[in-house]
Structure formats: structure tokens, C-alpha cells
């Protein structure tokens, strides 16, 4: 038995929800290790649609332990709202099925406000933030002025931590021309929900240690994709946390030696939300085709996603940095009906062809994709459950992608339904 880390290999929105749900049926514990409620997973279970943003995907399946790890920043009001929504759909949630790391940092209302204030005030590069307070919350965590889940046990501690945080935030607000925050009001609001949050508080690392010692399977669930990693992504158009597989260890308290198989979720084309470089973007009928066929709108924000051809250069770079063992290739069926399909195999940059994405913003803007062209297919791949169900040209496309990215396909997803999955290699038993 092994533990599996699931990460996105592009800019997120690769279809992680279905794959995590598919794997979670065989896992004993499902743990979120980074991000906040700015990214969402859509699960389709027995024809029922669940939209999650903070809760681990295992929560919709009975008999699992779901953990929100210390690497996640948690909006307690958003968490309670999401729990209420799922309960309304018949999902049972209790401290027996959900644990919240005691050392996880909280997102405060002033984080959300600051997110919006700064984005609106910025005259230079706009990141395209979701305005949910994720970035400011991580800033406070690193700045050692965060309020954590464990602080909710004491009003005096909450007030003391607020005094530290608001010394910083009120100075920022005054500089942006806004009124200071009333710390007592924030403390009142926090303490009014503390008794709803604290029953879920735990030393999550101990739960994971016990699972490891008992030989149980742990599934580590990432949120955004590798190209949004704060270090390795297309900075500054990134999220505020590390999204790569290595963060699964630090973001939960389970050592890196326990990360047995790294599964990179990879879409058969490319999308991204918000601003930033996108070498293979198609602002034309192809982009519209991919967006319409793929229903490319954000789960949490509803924002329309930018669409383009598969970029093997970026995916290979992501998989290398993340130490990915195998990929789950998703949404192949969206390409059905195209006469030809292109894949980016290199970039033209300053008179030469390179096989990596440079880190500099000006360099990223200046690159031009070099494409390899493939014959498309008229047959449908939707719902295929074996290689025999796939057109020969689709198989050729998949095999060439494996060659270009240097990592094999472990799973092939052919529809949102979990059963429509071709298993090549079981990540839990590689």
C-alpha cells in the first residue's frame, strides 16, 4: 500500500475533483495541504453534483477521514457555509469524519477587504486575484501575525493576536484612504462561531502518523496547479502558496518519506484563469470551441477560462519540478471532432528554440510557441473505458504526449463520471 499526492500540472482546473474522488474511494484518509477557498473541485457522484472549495473531496464518501491541513488558510465562515450546503445535499459531517489542523491560519474579513482594495488601487500589473483574502492571509502567516484555529479557544488570545494584526492592517488601510478596523467587532464575530469550529480542531499530524502506522492509505489533495506555485509558477501571476507535491509533507505534518506516488492531473489541452502569460492561448474559434465543449468556467468564481493548445514544454517542466510519477490525462473528449490538433514542443526565444519557460516576465511575453501538428479524430472518446474504445489517432496523440513530457499516463479520464476512467497504473499499487 502507498500514499498518493494529487497535484495539477498546469494552471489548475485540470479535472482534479473527479480523479481525487475516484481515488478517495480506495483511500482511508484524504488531506488538503495548501490553498484556501479560492479554488474549487466539482464531483459527480451517482449523478449528484457536489461543488467543494475548502473541504477535501473524501468528505462526500462515508467511512473516510478528511483533513484540512496546516498549509491551508481557512475562512471559518466560508467553511461553515460549505458544510451547511453539503449537509443540505445529504452529506454527513462530524468531528469523526472531518479534522481541522489546530495550527492552520484563519482568513479574516480584513483579508478579503485588503485583497480587493489593493487590486483596485494597483496601477501596474494586476494579478487577477479572486478577492477572497487568500494572499493577505498567507502574508500574515509568514509575518507571524496570523490568528490560528487553536487561538479560538481563548478570547484573550484572539484579542491579543488581533492587536498585532491590526497594527499592520490599519496602517495599510489608512494609506489606501480607508477607515481602520474595529478589533472588538472582529473578536465578537470570531467568538460567536468558535464553538462551531473547535470541535473539528485536531493535531492533524498525529492522525496521519496513526494512519501510517496502521498501514492505511492517505490521499493528499492539492488545489491550484503547479504553474500557479508561488516559487515555480508564472510569477507574479500565481497563487500565494506552494502548490507542488513537496508541499503535501509540510502542509500536513507528514514527512516527505510518506509521499509514495505523485499523480499529476493534466488536461489534454490548456486553460488558465486570470492574467499572466499563456504561450499557446487561442483567442479565436479554436479557443471558443475548447471553452464551449469543455465548459470552461471557474467552479468558485464563475470566471471564463482562457483556452489553448496543449503545452508539452510547460507540462514537462511542471512534472520535473514536482517529481511526478505518472499523469491522469483528462478531458480528451473535448478534442473530439477537430480536424487537426496542435501541441507546443518548444519556444522561439531570441533567435533560438528553447525547451523551458524562462522566469523573467519580459522573456515570457516574448516567446513564441513551436507546434507539432496531429491528425484529429471524428469518432467520440466520451465515456471510453478501455483503449479499444479509443480512435487510433487519439491513442497516437496520447502516446506522443507521453514521449514529450517524459512521464507515462497512469489514468485516462473520458467524462466527468468517475466510472469513465481507463486505468493503466493504480497509484495506490504502482
Amino acid at each position: 500500500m502507498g500514499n498518493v499526492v494529487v497535484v495539477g500540472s498546469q494552471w489548475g482546473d485540470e479535472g482534479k475533483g473527479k480523479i481525487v474522488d475516484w481515488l478517495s474511494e480506495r483511500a482511508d484518509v484524504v488531506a488538503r495541504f495548501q490553498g484556501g477557498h479560492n479554488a474549487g473541485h466539482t464531483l459527480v457522484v451517482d449523478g449528484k453534483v457536489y461543488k467543494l472549495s475548502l473541504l477535501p473531496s473524501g468528505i462526500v464518501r462515508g467511512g473516510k477521514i478528511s483533513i484540512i491541513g496546516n498549509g491551508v488558510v481557512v475562512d471559518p465562515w466560508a467553511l461553515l457555509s460549505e458544510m451547511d450546503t453539503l449537509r443540505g445535499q445529504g452529506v454527513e459531517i462530524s468531528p469523526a469524519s472531518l479534522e481541522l489542523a489546530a495550527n492552520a491560519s484563519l482568513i479574516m474579513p480584513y483579508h478579503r477587504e485588503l485583497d480587493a482594495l489593493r487590486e483596485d488601487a494597483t496601477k501596474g500589473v494586476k494579478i487577477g486575484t479572486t478577492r477572497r483574502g487568500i494572499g493577505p492571509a498567507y502574508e500574515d502567516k509568514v509575518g507571524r501575525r496570523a490568528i490560528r484555529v487553536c487561538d479560538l479557544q481563548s478570547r484573550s488570545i484572539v484579542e491579543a493576536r488581533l492587536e498585532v494584526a491590526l497594527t499592520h492592517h490599519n496602517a495599510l488601510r489608512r494609506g489606501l484612504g480607508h477607515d481602520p478596523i474595529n478589533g472588538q467587532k472582529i473578536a465578537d464575530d470570531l467568538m460567536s462561531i468558535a464553538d462551531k469550529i473547535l470541535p473539528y480542531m485536531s493535531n492533524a499530524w498525529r492522525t496521519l502518523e496513526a494512519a501510517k502506522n496502521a498501514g492505511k492509505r492517505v490521499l493528499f489533495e492539492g488545489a491550484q496547479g503547479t504553474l500557479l506555485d508561488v516559487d515555480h509558477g508564472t510569477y507574479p501571476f500565481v497563487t500565494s502558496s506552494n502548490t507542488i507535491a513537496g508541499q503535501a509533507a509540510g502542509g500536513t505534518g507528514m514527512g516527505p518519506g510518506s509521499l509514495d506516488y505523485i499523480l499529476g492531473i493534466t488536461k489534454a489541452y490548456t486553460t488558465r484563469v486570470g492574467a499572466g502569460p499563456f504561450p499557446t492561448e487561442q483567442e479565436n474559434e479554436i479557443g471558443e470551441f475548447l471553452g464551449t465543449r469543455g465548459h470552461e468556467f471557474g467552479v468558485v468564481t464563475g470566471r471564463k477560462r482562457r483556452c489553448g493548445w496543449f503545452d508539452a514544454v510547460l507540462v514537462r517542466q511542471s512534472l520535473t519540478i514536482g517529481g511526478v510519477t505518472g499523469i491522469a490525462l483528462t478531458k480528451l473528449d473535448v478534442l473530439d471532432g477537430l480536424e487537426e490538433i496542435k501541441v507546443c514542443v518548444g519556444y522561439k526565444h531570441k533567435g533560438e528554440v528553447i525547451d523551458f519557460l524562462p522566469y523573467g516576465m519580459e522573456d515570457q511575453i516574448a516567446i513564441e510557441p513551436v507546434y507539432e501538428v496531429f491528425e484529429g479524430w471524428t469518432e467520440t472518446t466520451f465515456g471510453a473505458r478501455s483503449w479499444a474504445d479509443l480512435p487510433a489517432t487519439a491513442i497516437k496523440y496520447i502516446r506522443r504526449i507521453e514521449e514529450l513530457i517524459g512521464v507515462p499516463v497512469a489514468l485516462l479520464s473520458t467524462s466527468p463520471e468517475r466510472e469513465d476512467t481507463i486505468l493503466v497504473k493504480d497509484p495506490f499499487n504502482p
Side-chain angles (χ1 to χ4, degrees):
M1 289 189 181
N3 300 322
V4 177
V5 183
V6 174
V7 294
S9 66
Q10 294 151 308
W11 278 291
D13 311 311
E14 300 99 345
K16 291 186 292 297
K18 174 208 168 156
I19 301 300
V20 169
D21 175 59
W22 191 87
L23 291 167
S24 69
E25 187 176 39
R26 307 210 296 288
D28 301 296
V29 181
V30 182
R32 269 283 304 273
F33 60 85
Q34 55 78 218
H37 64 306
N38 56 335
H41 294 326
T42 299
L43 309 184
V44 182
V45 182
D46 298 328
K48 204 168 190 177
V49 178
Y50 301 94
K51 293 185 182 293
L52 309 179
S53 55
L54 261 178
L55 292 169
S57 299
I59 200 71
V60 301
R61 298 197 169 275
K64 315 290 179 184
I65 297 175
S66 291
I67 294 175
I68 299 175
N70 57 275
V72 180
V73 285
V74 180
D75 183 322
W77 294 276
L79 175 61
L80 292 173
S81 175
E82 188 174 333
M83 290 165 65
D84 286 343
T85 298
L86 286 187
R87 287 186 178 116
Q89 292 184 273
V91 177
E92 292 187 14
I93 303 175
S94 72
S97 61
L98 176 66
E99 296 187 18
L100 176 58
N103 53 336
S105 297
L106 298 178
I107 298 175
M108 296 286 98
Y110 49 80
H111 291 137
R112 296 193 298 268
E113 292 177 23
L114 180 61
D115 216 353
L117 290 175
R118 285 199 303 211
E119 185 79 354
D120 291 339
T122 297
K123 293 182 173 60
V125 176
K126 289 186 181 290
I127 305 302
T129 171
T130 58
R131 301 172 182 241
R132 291 172 181 253
I134 312 298
Y138 273 116
E139 290 176 40
D140 276 6
K141 176 180 179 176
V142 175
R144 293 164 291 186
R145 52 181 173 265
I147 296 172
R148 302 190 297 173
V149 173
C150 56
D151 295 333
L152 297 180
Q153 298 172 101
S154 165
R155 181 177 180 115
S156 63
I157 290 293
V158 166
E159 291 178 345
R161 298 304 302 151
L162 276 171
E163 185 175 357
V164 173
L166 295 184
T167 298
H168 171 81
H169 281 275
N170 283 335
L172 281 178
R173 291 174 67 88
R174 283 192 294 271
L176 292 168
H178 290 269
D179 294 333
I181 295 165
N182 183 331
Q184 287 301 309
K185 172 67 165 58
I186 297 288
D188 290 343
D189 291 345
L190 261 183
M191 298 316 295
S192 71
I193 62 169
D195 61 346
K196 297 179 181 179
I197 296 291
L198 287 173
Y200 299 92
M201 183 182 75
S202 79
N203 290 317
W205 66 270
R206 297 193 66 188
T207 301
L208 291 167
E209 180 191 36
K212 177 182 177 180
N213 292 339
K216 294 183 176 180
R217 293 170 166 177
V218 180
L219 180 63
F220 296 92
E221 177 184 0
Q224 296 88 357
T226 297
L227 294 173
L228 292 175
D229 184 276
V230 70
D231 287 309
H232 300 287
T234 48
Y235 191 92
F237 304 99
V238 292
T239 194
S240 304
S241 60
N242 288 113
T243 62
I244 59 174
Q247 176 62 16
T252 60
M254 199 171 193
S258 299
L259 311 182
D260 300 310
Y261 191 99
I262 315 300
L263 183 67
I265 314 302
T266 307
K267 194 178 287 185
Y269 51 101
T270 310
T271 62
R272 81 169 297 174
V273 172
F278 188 167
T280 63
E281 183 174 13
Q282 299 297 299
E283 297 181 275
N284 51 31
E285 67 278 2
I286 292 296
E288 287 296 322
F289 175 89
L290 296 173
T292 301
R293 285 285 299 273
H295 306 290
E296 296 296 353
F297 296 90
V299 174
V300 172
T301 64
R303 289 189 295 179
K304 184 177 180 180
R305 297 173 186 144
R306 300 155 63 192
C307 299
W309 296 119
F310 186 86
D311 192 330
V313 179
L314 278 182
V315 171
R316 182 176 63 247
Q317 187 166 320
S318 293
L319 301 182
T320 300
I321 291 169
V324 171
T325 316
I327 69 165
L329 190 65
T330 65
K331 303 189 83 165
L332 180 70
D333 58 287
V334 174
L335 302 178
D336 292 353
L338 288 171
E339 291 185 9
E340 67 174 29
I341 300 168
K342 295 181 180 180
V343 172
C344 177
V345 296
Y347 301 134
K348 291 179 182 177
H349 179 254
K350 295 182 179 179
E352 63 176 337
V353 176
I354 60 175
D355 62 355
F356 63 94
L357 181 72
Y359 283 122
M361 288 177 62
E362 290 185 349
D363 289 328
Q364 291 176 356
I365 293 171
I367 61 174
E368 296 179 22
V370 176
Y371 288 114
E372 191 171 309
V373 182
F374 297 81
E375 179 186 354
W377 53 89
T378 55
E379 307 95 318
T380 182
T381 63
F382 186 86
R385 298 186 182 181
S386 72
W387 290 103
D389 296 332
L390 298 174
T393 45
I395 294 175
K396 183 178 179 181
Y397 178 74
I398 296 167
R399 294 307 184 202
R400 182 57 177 148
I401 283 177
E402 287 181 313
E403 292 175 357
L404 290 168
I405 65 177
V407 173
V409 171
L411 295 160
L412 181 65
S413 171
T414 58
S415 93
E417 294 292 337
R418 64 190 306 276
E419 292 81 10
D420 294 336
T421 304
I422 299 173
L423 176 64
V424 181
K425 180 74 71 174
D426 185 348
F428 278 120
N429 293 290

